[in-house]
Amino acid sequence: MELSSGKINLGLSIPFKRPDGYHEIQTIFVPISFGDRIEFRFKSAEGGQSSFQLSSKNFLKGYRSRLFEDVSERGDVSKNILYRAYERLLPYFRTPTRIEIDLEKYLPPEGGIGGGSSNAGSFLRSALPYTNLNPKELFEMGRSLGADVPFFLQEKPSVGTGIGEILEPISLAKGKGILAIPDFGLSTSSMYAGLQKSLQKTHDSKVWKTLTEDVLRSLEEGLWEGVAGKLVNDFEPLAIQTKPILKELKDGFLRSGSGFVSMSGSGSCFYGLYPTDADTTKVRSSLEFQFPDMEFQTFSF
């Protein structure tokens, strides 16, 4: 099985709401080593009719486990983003195709680390050779499924602008971190509604002024302290206001020696980045003791 990786956002600025109803974003997407495990099998369809089969194992906890069950093969699989991707692909398969997908689900819904979008990106990449699509058409299909899906089609550290579909690769040092998964989620729609950004008549992407030379140098050299306070997540104050325990969590990360702590996406997951020689397994144990209701995962990039 291959990794369907999660992502973290290094900074997430939401400058304005666009006339099309979407919000303009400015961020750095980073793929991480924590994710789902997934396998795709593309077979010749018997009877000349394409078909879709999902077989999943659910390793999520609490209410998130139920959220996934609702869109798994044990619930209404037509609501799963993998099935919606299959429906988009159907007219483009070169021959009738039976698709079998095995999935081990670890990425939490409502976590801000790209669970469903990651699966969709992995699926579209794997399906491309069996279709008449070119990479540009596949990219547009991904964009129609979700704003984060185009990133997961290429999975390289990238500056993301527009609604997240305008991607420019960025030089980033190798790093390691710890991901905190609270036992509650934050819905993307409610978080965007809480920002109350003003409507802009133009939605041309502007240069992200935060990416100064010193910030880019710190990212390239892995000096995470050098971007603290400069790469910020606009959703974070709202999330902390909604769930004050997140402020305690952030302070816990800082006390543990993390050079950069942030919420990822629209939450609720937080992460801390550490020096490459840090013993993150030991730090993780300490955080688990301090926050017993949360799940913690180490990761690298």
Side-chain angles (χ1 to χ4, degrees), residues 2 39-45 51-52 86 89 93 95-101 122-131:
E2 65 180 76
E39 181 179 350
F40 305 99
R41 292 183 295 275
F42 298 86
K43 300 179 177 180
S44 178
S51 62
F52 173 95
Y86 162 73
L89 288 166
F93 284 119
T95 59
T97 304
R98 174 174 174 77
I99 296 165
E100 299 174 356
I101 303 175
S122 296
F123 183 24
L124 293 181
R125 279 201 321 271
S126 297
L128 181 60
Y130 301 92
T131 71

Side-chain angles (χ1 to χ4, degrees), residues 195-245:
L195 285 178
Q196 298 180 333
K197 290 290 181 175
S198 59
L199 184 69
Q200 292 282 340
K201 292 182 179 180
T202 176
H203 55 264
D204 293 334
S205 294
K206 304 293 191 297
V207 174
W208 193 10
K209 295 180 181 179
T210 299
L211 294 182
T212 57
E213 285 189 16
D214 63 317
V215 168
L216 291 171
R217 190 181 310 112
S218 294
L219 293 171
E220 193 169 349
E221 296 178 4
L223 303 174
W224 310 124
E225 296 89 345
V227 298
K230 298 174 182 177
L231 294 178
V232 298
N233 185 329
D234 284 355
F235 287 114
E236 197 174 292
L238 177 60
I240 288 174
Q241 180 183 350
T242 305
K243 296 287 187 178
I245 187 65

Side-chain angles (χ1 to χ4, degrees), residues 20-270:
D20 60 8
Y22 289 98
H23 287 76
E24 187 79 7
I25 75 165
Q26 297 167 331
T27 190
I28 298 173
F29 292 114
V30 181
I32 60 174
S33 60
F34 172 65
D36 295 336
R37 307 298 299 182
I38 199 163
E39 181 179 350
F40 305 99
R41 292 183 295 275
F42 298 86
K43 300 179 177 180
S44 178
E46 296 179 6
Q49 187 169 355
S50 294
S51 62
F52 173 95
Q53 177 182 305
L54 174 65
S55 299
S56 64
K57 294 180 180 179
N58 184 353
F59 292 93
L60 299 172
K61 299 176 181 178
Y63 87 99
R64 288 188 169 101
S65 177
R66 297 190 296 275
L67 287 180
F68 178 72
E69 287 297 297
D70 288 345
V71 298
S72 75
E73 70 276 17
R74 296 170 292 277
D76 185 356
V77 76
S78 68
K79 294 180 180 178
N80 193 297
I81 194 170
L82 284 167
Y83 187 83
R84 291 193 283 116
Y86 162 73
E87 288 186 311
R88 303 286 174 88
L89 288 166
L90 261 180
Y92 303 100
F93 284 119
R94 291 173 180 166
T95 59
T97 304
R98 174 174 174 77
I99 296 165
E100 299 174 356
I101 303 175
D102 293 338
L103 173 65
E104 294 180 357
K105 174 55 71 173
Y106 298 96
L107 290 170
E110 298 186 351
I113 58 175
S117 297
S118 172
N119 294 166
S122 296
F123 183 24
L124 293 181
R125 279 201 321 271
S126 297
L128 181 60
Y130 301 92
T131 71
N132 295 314
L133 294 167
N134 61 44
K136 183 178 179 181
E137 291 168 331
L138 193 78
F139 181 92
E140 289 302 319
M141 184 177 289
R143 184 178 183 271
S144 72
L145 286 165
D148 287 349
V149 176
F151 165 70
F152 287 108
L153 286 172
Q154 50 91 36
E155 287 193 319
K156 297 176 182 176
S158 302
V159 176
T161 54
I163 63 170
E165 88 287 12
I166 302 172
L167 299 164
E168 183 179 347
I170 188 172
S171 180
L172 184 70
K174 292 182 178 180
K176 61 196 302 188
I178 299 175
L179 181 73
I181 305 174
D183 60 351
F184 54 84
L186 296 170
S187 79
T188 301
S189 58
S190 64
M191 292 300 287
Y192 272 107
L195 285 178
Q196 298 180 333
K197 290 290 181 175
S198 59
L199 184 69
Q200 292 282 340
K201 292 182 179 180
T202 176
H203 55 264
D204 293 334
S205 294
K206 304 293 191 297
V207 174
W208 193 10
K209 295 180 181 179
T210 299
L211 294 182
T212 57
E213 285 189 16
D214 63 317
V215 168
L216 291 171
R217 190 181 310 112
S218 294
L219 293 171
E220 193 169 349
E221 296 178 4
L223 303 174
W224 310 124
E225 296 89 345
V227 298
K230 298 174 182 177
L231 294 178
V232 298
N233 185 329
D234 284 355
F235 287 114
E236 197 174 292
L238 177 60
I240 288 174
Q241 180 183 350
T242 305
K243 296 287 187 178
I245 187 65
L246 294 176
K247 175 63 166 63
E248 297 178 34
L249 174 63
K250 184 170 186 175
D251 290 344
F253 269 118
L254 292 170
R255 287 193 304 270
S256 73
S258 174
F260 181 80
V261 184
S262 178
M263 189 169 77
S264 186
S266 56
S268 61
C269 291
F270 268 68

Side-chain angles (χ1 to χ4, degrees), residues 249-299:
L249 174 63
K250 184 170 186 175
D251 290 344
F253 269 118
L254 292 170
R255 287 193 304 270
S256 73
S258 174
F260 181 80
V261 184
S262 178
M263 189 169 77
S264 186
S266 56
S268 61
C269 291
F270 268 68
Y271 66 88
L273 300 184
Y274 294 83
T276 53
D277 60 351
D279 185 349
T280 50
T281 301
K282 184 177 180 180
V283 175
R284 171 183 166 178
S285 296
S286 174
L287 290 168
E288 287 173 337
F289 180 78
Q290 295 175 63
F291 302 95
D293 294 332
M294 297 190 188
E295 178 185 353
F296 292 86
Q297 296 285 346
T298 57
F299 65 85

